[in-house]
Structure formats: C-alpha cells, structure tokens
Amino acid sequence: MGGSAFGALPPFFIFIEETIFAQGLTSAFRRVTIVKNTERATAFPVQKKGAIASMQAKIYLDAVRRKGKISDVFYGSFVEHMGRCVYGGVYEEGSPLSDEKGWRRDVEEKVRGLNLDIVRYPGGNFVSGYDWKDGIGPKDLRPQKLDLAWMQLEPNRVGVLEFCDWARRSARQVMMAVNLGTGTAKDAQELVEYCNAERGYWAEKRAEHGRRDPLGIRYWCLGNEMDGDWQICTHTAEEYGRKAQEAAKLMKWVDPDIRLVACGSSAPTMASFPRWDRVVLEHVYEQADCISMHRYYNHNDGNLDDYLSAFVDFGAAIDSVISVCDYVKAYKRSKKTMKISFDEWNVSNAADPSPENERGKWIVGARRSEAKYDFLDGIALAQLLSVLVNHADRVEITCQAQLVNVLGLIFAEKEGSFCQSIYYPFALASQYLRGEALDVLAESPVRRSEKYGEAPLVQCAAAYDGEEERLCVYAINASLEEAAELEISLAHFGKLRLNKIYSYESDDVSARNGLSGSPVDVRAIAQNIQVSESCSVQIPPHTLRVYLFEKG
C-alpha cells in the first residue's frame, strides 16, 4: 500500500494549518463555558465568514458502548468491465500516462490515496455473461467478445491475473465475483481452483500463465443481482438459491477458507424485496457468510430535501435485511450470524448514456454513467458512509460503486485525471474511522422530506482505534443555511486532546473538480486542546468535519 490521502498528502490535496484560537474567537469560547457553567465543556468554533450558529445538536459517546469492530474489508470499491472503468480508466495501453503493462500511473496514485481494503471485480451485470477463461493466457490469443450486459465489445486485455496484480498494488484484497447467470457451479469451482489451488489442472494453468503461487482470494460473490429482469439469465429466488447452494459447496470444497456472498435483492425498491432475501438464505444460510445489498440515490428531480434525507432510507433498508437474516437464523436453528456485504452503493447524478452506447454500437470503453459530482454530492455520500459505519456490527464489507469514471471517485481522460468531490469524504472515513465503531446517541433538529420523512440535519459516526489510542468523530451538518453547534459528550474516555480537524467545506455547493482545477478538497486545521467529559464544536452549513482526539 502507498500512503493514504491524509498521511503522505499527495499533491492533489491542499493542507492549511490554522490555530483555533485566532483573534476574535476567545470571546466565543468564554461565552459557551459560562452557559455550560462547567470547566469541562470546551468550545472551539470554526466557521465560515458570515455563518451564524443557530442550531443546537448533541451526540453522546461512551467508550464502553461499542457497536463492534470495523472489519478489515470495510472500505472497498468496485471495478466493473462497464463503460470506461477498466479500458480508458484504470487501464489504457499506449498512453504516456501508463506504465509498461498499460496501467494508468496517475489513476493508481489516486487510488492508493483512498486507503482501500478491498476491490470487487469484474462485475456487476457484466459477470453474468462473462467467461473468465477468455481473460487468461497470452493476451494476443484472447478472444474479443460481445458484452450483452452493457452492449460493448470486451477485448479481454485485462483478466483475472492482470487485475489481481494491479489491485494488490492499489488496495489490499480482491473480492471476485463468479458468473451464476450463464455460468455453472463447475465454472465457479474452476475459477477458485485457478486462483487459490496449489495443485491440479487449473493451478498448473495459472503457473503456465506466469503465476506459480496461489492468489489467495478470500472473498467471493455468488453472482450479481439475479432477481433483476435486466440481468443476463434472471432467476427466481428458488432457482438462484439452489444454484448458489451447489456452487458454494463446490467452491468451499476447493478452498474451505473462502468467504462467500450470496445475492440479496437488487434494491429495496424491488417488488421481490425482502422475500427474495429470505428464500435465498433458506437455501444458502450454512454455505454463505454474507448477503449482498445494493442501493443508489440521486437528485435528478432537483429535490434536495429528499436527497439529503436519503440516508434514513439507507439505514432502514439495512435494518430490514438484518431482520430477514435473523429470522432465517432462528428458522434454521443456526448458531451463525449472517453479515451484510453492501457491495454496490453510491450517490449518482449521471446523465443518460452517450449515443455511442446505443444498442449495436459495439466498441471498447464506451462512455456510460459518467457522473460529474459537485460538492453537495460529497455531503450526501458522507451521510451514507456514516450509516454504514453505524451498522459495522453487521455490515462486514462495503464497496462504493464504481472506482473510476463510471459514477467514479476518480475521473480520467486521455490527458489526465482528477479526484471528484466524493473522493474526499470517502478518503477521510477510510483513513480515520478505524478500530471499533461506537454506539452514537444523537439529538438533532430534523429536515422533513416528502419521500423519506424526518431526517436529522446533523448526522454522525464515531470510532475508537485502540492501537492508535485515537477517537474519530465524523460529523455532517447537512443544513444548507444554518451552522450547527454540536456538543460531544464523552464518557469513560479519560483525558483526551483534540489534535486535528479535517474540514470538507465550500461556499459553492455546486462546485466541481476538473482537469483544469480542483476547487473542492479538504483542509486540515491543527489543534492542541485538552478536553475531558464534553466539548462543543461549531460546524458551518453543508460541511463535513472530522475531529481527531488522542489520549493525553
């Protein structure tokens, strides 16, 4: 792994040192301590010019109230053979920006800044028609195939071995998906052999192709969105459940140490949800380790109240799937607790596919779903991320979808690449929300959404990293007009010191990054403030703040 975005600080970040006790802030500090009538309440307002704190919120954190460990595969992304995610995204043969194997160096540098735990591959809808054997062996002998999922031409220049080599440089692990659309249980078993077996026909083939040692891929998806009528070879829940059960048996007979993700319903909006999840789990509960969830949100209708309240719906969907899992556990009299792999999630403002993607235009790397994110999209993504962390006791894996170009954290063109606005809230969480997720009890004013009901204007997640002796509070003020004074109650932590604040903020909520410049970024504010049982902080409107406390 390379350095994180906020460790080594690559050149695409701006770092600004400030002192919190700048001129004009001392009186505000004194005012709050008098109101609280205790020396243990410390306030350090940092606010944009003209912002007035008129909204009160409070969170309660207790060192002994922990949701559970944030897993070592929690912060993931997704690379699918879709649009320009692979060809023209992470990989571009012949480009002056690529290495000798065709991988874009500039993109890889930015991927490393995300501090990813895992990357899902190769799909997505693509995997339901993909024969992994087309992507092995000498590149010049590989067939070009029609990809029916995205109506593209698949040249198979990137396959299993190439991608795993790249992913191991850019992240930590790969989550491989098997084809349970046109594919069979035997195809899935043989892919596990090719990747993980030490001997046998497919292990020898892997060695012939330049990799003697097993790849050791631990996480595997049993197909993708098999209840969707858009899927190649859609299944009923009963059909998929039986097929996944048999594939899982064969795969685990080859490698008993792998962890398997069964397909949940494609989205909570599907008519099949949550019955699909129940029926599938009744078949595969003992073979699978996780069930998948997928969800995307957009504001194409222009309703920002709904968009900035969608995280409430996101959390409710997770709670529903947890209930289904626990019902099947009881029904099966099982001792195992099913975990969730939320392996596709994101915000989206993508325009319609370009004309070159119309049916019959069989080309490599056609433009599709290329969202150009603005600052406010980053706030919405931060809200979703906070919900995932607050469910870390049951959510084992998350994969933001996708990594490059297609709803991408990173955007690449032939002449260069840049980090989109949503890159920064993700990178802050993956760097600092580590260790054990804390149980966050919150009080906040609410926004009223026609679609999702009431949603807190101030949304938080928190984690304590015992190894680093560091508490991280990830706090979002989603109000578009009002600053928030947030009181943080800290129980059983002992003496803490607020050492640093990272701030994702902008006066222009529609600001976008591009090749010509990056107005959206993160600034760091240096601190050195002793706190004890509580502190108060001020968060400007439409701002994410990450507060880092250390022992001492």
Side-chain angles (χ1 to χ4, degrees):
M1 271 298 295
S4 73
F6 306 99
L9 290 171
F12 42 90
F13 283 88
I14 294 177
F15 187 90
I16 302 174
E17 290 282 352
E18 294 182 3
T19 174
I20 200 70
F21 290 104
Q23 185 177 4
L25 293 180
T26 305
S27 60
F29 165 75
R30 288 175 179 161
R31 177 183 61 79
V32 175
T33 54
I34 291 170
V35 170
K36 297 297 179 185
N37 195 28
T38 170
E39 293 180 357
R40 294 178 304 209
T42 308
F44 11 89
V46 178
Q47 58 192 62
K48 287 186 273 190
K49 184 177 181 180
I52 299 174
S54 57
M55 181 171 65
Q56 305 292 315
K58 185 173 183 177
I59 60 170
Y60 300 84
L61 302 177
D62 191 323
V64 300
R65 290 181 59 86
R66 306 188 183 194
K67 293 285 289 186
K69 185 181 184 300
I70 297 170
S71 81
D72 59 4
V73 288
F74 191 84
Y75 293 104
S77 191
F78 177 33
V79 171
E80 180 174 9
H81 287 246
M82 172 187 176
R84 295 191 310 122
C85 187
V86 176
Y87 306 109
V90 295
Y91 184 84
E92 190 173 3
E93 289 181 292
S95 168
L97 299 176
S98 298
D99 64 18
E100 67 282 358
K101 294 184 177 179
W103 298 102
R104 285 279 295 261
R105 292 189 186 93
D106 58 324
V107 172
E108 186 173 328
E109 178 190 17
K110 293 174 177 63
V111 173
R112 287 178 178 174
L114 288 165
N115 197 31
L116 293 175
D117 298 326
I118 196 164
V119 181
R120 181 173 173 241
Y121 177 82
N125 296 347
F126 172 80
V127 79
S128 291
Y130 178 58
D131 186 346
W132 64 269
K133 295 166 189 172
D134 291 336
I136 62 175
K139 285 189 177 184
D140 292 340
L141 299 181
R142 297 178 188 177
Q144 290 194 345
K145 292 287 187 74
L146 299 185
D147 166 29
L148 300 181
W150 302 115
M151 301 297 160
Q152 299 178 160
L153 186 64
E154 173 52 53
N156 286 302
R157 302 293 290 178
V158 173
V160 172
L161 292 185
E162 290 87 8
F163 183 78
C164 287
D165 285 345
W166 175 85
R168 293 264 163 76
R169 297 196 309 269
S170 305
R172 295 184 180 92
Q173 297 192 53
V174 172
M175 180 161 69
M176 188 70 69
V178 300
N179 177 356
L180 290 188
T182 60
T184 65
K186 185 172 183 290
D187 293 329
Q189 167 218 321
E190 290 176 342
L191 179 54
V192 176
E193 285 188 40
Y194 185 78
C195 293
N196 289 4
E198 293 186 356
R199 56 183 58 88
Y201 176 81
W202 288 108
E204 291 301 320
K205 280 292 181 186
R206 183 187 67 237
E208 286 179 22
H209 300 154
R211 179 66 183 251
R212 168 58 65 181
D213 295 332
L215 299 175
I217 297 174
R218 190 174 183 222
Y219 290 88
W220 296 78
C221 296
L222 297 167
N224 175 75
E225 295 185 354
M226 298 308 301
D227 61 336
D229 59 9
W230 59 85
Q231 202 67 215
I232 299 172
C233 295
T234 304
H235 288 49
T236 66
E238 291 80 4
E239 290 168 342
Y240 170 74
R242 286 287 298 126
K243 189 173 185 178
Q245 182 182 37
E246 293 307 308
K249 281 165 48 180
L250 271 61
M251 293 166 74
K252 285 202 169 183
W253 285 346
V254 172
D255 186 349
D257 294 327
I258 61 176
R259 289 180 66 78
L260 300 178
V261 179
C263 280
S265 181
S266 300
T269 54
M270 296 285 289
S272 56
F273 178 86
R275 178 186 176 275
W276 168 281
D277 305 73
R278 175 185 64 79
V279 172
V280 167
L281 286 175
E282 287 177 3
H283 286 285
V284 302
Y285 197 89
E286 295 308 325
Q287 289 79 27
D289 302 283
C290 301
I291 189 162
S292 72
M293 292 186 69
H294 293 176
R295 192 71 171 103
Y296 298 88
Y297 295 94
N298 64 60
H299 59 103
N300 293 342
D301 61 0
N303 190 324
L304 291 181
D305 281 337
D306 285 349
Y307 189 49
L308 295 175
S309 302
F311 70 97
V312 173
D313 177 72
F314 194 62
I318 296 174
D319 292 336
S320 294
V321 172
I322 290 171
S323 297
V324 173
C325 292
D326 290 347
Y327 163 78
V328 178
K329 177 182 180 179
Y331 176 72
K332 291 280 189 178
R333 276 73 167 174
S334 177
K335 295 181 179 179
K336 179 172 73 175
T337 297
M338 185 65 57
K339 296 297 185 77
I340 292 171
S341 173
F342 217 126
D343 46 46
E344 286 189 36
W345 68 274
N346 205 348
V347 294
S348 166
N349 64 10
D352 292 333
S354 62
E356 63 185 341
N357 275 302
E358 291 176 355
R359 189 178 295 268
K361 299 287 187 180
W362 302 104
I363 61 175
V364 176
R367 293 181 183 269
R368 180 179 286 274
S369 300
E370 296 197 349
K372 301 292 181 66
Y373 290 106
D374 63 25
F375 171 83
L376 203 60
D377 292 316
I379 294 295
L381 181 130
Q383 291 176 313
L384 300 183
L385 250 180
S386 69
V387 171
L388 292 169
V389 173
N390 289 336
H391 286 84
D393 55 330
R394 296 300 292 270
V395 176
E396 180 173 347
I397 307 164
T398 78
C399 296
Q400 170 275 340
Q402 295 183 27
L403 184 58
V404 182
N405 287 339
V406 180
L407 306 183
L409 295 168
I410 300 163
F411 201 89
E413 296 284 10
K414 289 186 179 297
E415 60 271 30
S417 59
F418 60 91
C419 300
Q420 298 229 62
S421 62
I422 61 172
Y423 179 103
Y424 301 98
F426 185 100
L428 282 167
S430 67
Q431 176 65 16
Y432 294 117
L433 279 173
R434 296 283 184 174
E436 292 191 82
L438 300 179
D439 190 4
V440 180
L441 302 178
E443 299 172 359
S444 169
V446 298
R447 166 184 278 112
R448 287 172 175 81
S449 156
E450 186 175 325
K451 190 171 185 179
Y452 301 119
E454 292 187 347
L457 285 166
V458 177
Q459 168 71 5
C460 298
Y464 183 74
D465 188 332
E467 290 184 8
E468 299 289 336
E469 293 191 322
R470 181 180 66 212
L471 168 66
C472 173
V473 177
Y474 188 90
I476 306 122
N477 176 11
S479 171
L480 297 178
E481 296 87 19
E482 294 182 284
E485 185 178 309
L486 174 65
E487 182 180 348
I488 305 173
S489 174
L490 301 164
H492 302 111
F493 287 98
K495 290 185 177 180
L496 294 172
R497 184 172 296 277
L498 178 62
N499 282 347
K500 188 166 288 185
I501 302 171
Y502 286 103
S503 188
Y504 172 82
E505 60 184 271
S506 174
D507 291 327
D508 180 6
V509 296
S510 62
R512 288 181 169 89
N513 290 346
L515 290 175
S516 60
S518 296
V520 179
D521 53 39
V522 169
R523 66 189 183 104
I525 307 167
Q527 302 293 297
N528 187 17
I529 299 171
Q530 192 81 41
V531 298
S532 183
E533 293 184 14
S534 69
C535 64
S536 292
V537 296
Q538 209 168 76
I539 309 175
H542 49 78
T543 294
L544 162 67
R545 285 273 165 90
V546 176
Y547 300 93
L548 302 182
F549 301 83
E550 295 184 3
K551 287 284 190 180

